[in-house]
Amino acid sequence: MPRTTLLRQLLQQRHLTTHEAFAAQYERAAVRLAELDRDPRLASLQVSPRQFDRWYGGELLTLPRPDACRVLEHMLGRSVSELFSAVYDSESGRSEEPPARQQAPSPLSPREDDENPLDIVARTRQLTASNTDDATLAFLDSSLEGIAGRYEQGGPYALRPQARQVRQLAHTLLDGRQPPGTRRELFHLAARASGLLGYMAVNTGDFALSEAYCTEARDLSREIGDLDTELWARGTLSFGLYYAGRYDEADACAAAAVERAPRHAQSIRLLANGRARALGKTGDRRAVEQAIGQALRLSDLHEVPVGLTSCISFEPYGRARTLANAVTSHVALRNTAQVLRDAEHIDDLVEHSTSSWSRSLVRLDVATALLQQRTPDIDHAMALGGEALRLCGDTPISSVYQRSRDLREQAGPWRDHQAVRDYGEEFRAWSSQPAVLAMASSAS
């Protein structure tokens, strides 16, 4: 005898008691849900006559597959645990469940408050259902690695659209349902996508956008206890504040992050890129030396790479990149001799790196130091400035723009010198690119 379920009653009320009638409605619901959930797999779902007979007759030992459950819930507006539960049978005028005996139940007899095993199975499947699989997570992760790996060759303008797509997909999936482990991984990937976009926004001179992205990355990573990504996001917040000219805030942001995890490998970047450079701009020589020294001791502790790591990498700073940041800090303090010594120490590593931006920035720092000497070497400084612009070429970033502009201004006292005039012309031509014009507008 068929078991009367809520599903059976609802289908009777809607005159969907034949396979043909039910299948037509079910397939339309599947297509609608596929559009709503952005899950194209659902659009192809169908119900066989045998499946329909089992559902309609209540002849189930376990619930349908998760995707089928989703369509049924969308189609009928009730949970599957309700749909397949027994209800009062209006055809026979009695309940599916036997009437309770008058005497107290024995310890072995079912009690009225016992749950239906089918309901327990249904709820478990709901709680563990996921709109994300391992292949999707691996795809998102490899996409982020690819963006970071190609960044110094492609630049922010070429790679920003792909990073936005990764972030959007991660957010779309997070609007759905996943078990805790999968959801944590999505938070991690969404945080890193936002962090990359925040770094790119600094390079394009959009500091307000960078702050928003990095705050999102910090908050998402903190929500899941991902300290590595959280510290990286805080470092990029400080990085953006530095190039926005907010030096005290840049130092405070980095200092608070270091205090949170003083021995963490990410603190190398926070100290060298965040604290030392900002402190150099404020003129605090002693604090600069302390920050650089602490960063180098942490580099030894964590045995970081000797070479120049990628500027956008989530990995700890390599020693050469830490020293490159020290050079920038000493330029601000006008420690000319220290700048030239440190630059010479890392020259081979910088010149053999694939980072044209790093080669450009070190040249600009050295050129500035050459102008700061007691006897300025104007020709050499301007030659390095021209090389820096050519190295950056048609992939400009805000840091190169700011330092090349500052070099032109510092060369102002020698504006009648031929080398200074040549550099000024080259800077004006390079600055006519739309991307650089946008940076100049943002800076003003």
Side-chain angles (χ1 to χ4, degrees), residues 132 137 173-174 178 182-190:
T132 311
L137 295 175
L173 293 171
L174 282 168
Q178 310 88 28
T182 301
R183 191 163 186 82
R184 185 187 187 285
E185 183 63 17
L186 280 173
F187 263 75
H188 167 76
L189 293 167

Side-chain angles (χ1 to χ4, degrees), residues 301-324:
L301 177 66
H302 291 282
E303 298 181 349
V304 299
V306 173
L308 197 72
T309 48
S310 168
C311 66
I312 203 171
S313 172
F314 287 101
E315 297 302 315
Y317 257 26
R319 195 175 185 88
R321 188 160 292 283
T322 298
L323 290 172

Side-chain angles (χ1 to χ4, degrees), residues 220-400:
L220 290 177
S221 55
R222 188 164 54 192
E223 191 69 25
I224 58 171
D226 181 359
L227 182 61
D228 196 63
T229 303
E230 180 190 341
L231 294 177
W232 188 94
R234 285 170 176 259
T236 307
L237 272 170
S238 174
F239 174 64
L241 291 167
Y242 173 84
Y243 278 108
R246 296 157 62 183
Y247 304 121
D248 288 330
E249 293 176 69
D251 174 48
C253 177
V258 172
E259 185 176 351
R260 178 158 162 71
R263 294 172 64 84
H264 197 284
Q266 288 292 342
S267 288
I268 301 169
R269 175 177 180 238
L270 288 161
L271 288 161
N273 186 269
R275 295 215 67 194
R277 297 195 314 164
L279 289 164
K281 289 290 188 179
T282 63
D284 193 335
R285 294 175 181 272
R286 183 178 178 183
V288 167
E289 293 297 341
Q290 288 177 337
I292 293 171
Q294 191 177 347
L296 292 173
R297 287 192 293 275
L298 276 178
S299 298
D300 292 337
L301 177 66
H302 291 282
E303 298 181 349
V304 299
V306 173
L308 197 72
T309 48
S310 168
C311 66
I312 203 171
S313 172
F314 287 101
E315 297 302 315
Y317 257 26
R319 195 175 185 88
R321 188 160 292 283
T322 298
L323 290 172
N325 280 269
V327 167
T328 304
S329 305
H330 288 301
V331 168
L333 294 171
R334 304 180 74 86
N335 292 340
T336 304
Q338 186 70 55
V339 170
L340 298 179
R341 278 198 301 271
D342 286 350
E344 184 177 4
H345 182 66
I346 62 173
D347 180 69
D348 189 59
L349 293 171
V350 171
E351 291 306 302
H352 286 88
S353 77
T354 59
S355 175
S356 58
W357 294 331
S358 296
R359 297 201 299 276
S360 177
L361 290 167
V362 171
R363 278 171 168 75
L364 289 167
D365 281 343
V366 171
T368 301
L370 291 173
L371 292 182
Q372 293 172 347
Q373 293 181 119
R374 189 182 300 274
T375 304
D377 189 343
I378 300 169
D379 289 330
H380 190 191
M382 295 300 98
L384 289 173
E387 288 177 17
L389 295 176
R390 291 189 289 277
L391 278 168
C392 200
D394 58 358
T395 54
I397 54 175
S398 60
S399 52
V400 172

Side-chain angles (χ1 to χ4, degrees), residues 104-111:
S106 71
L108 298 178
S109 62
R111 290 166 30 190

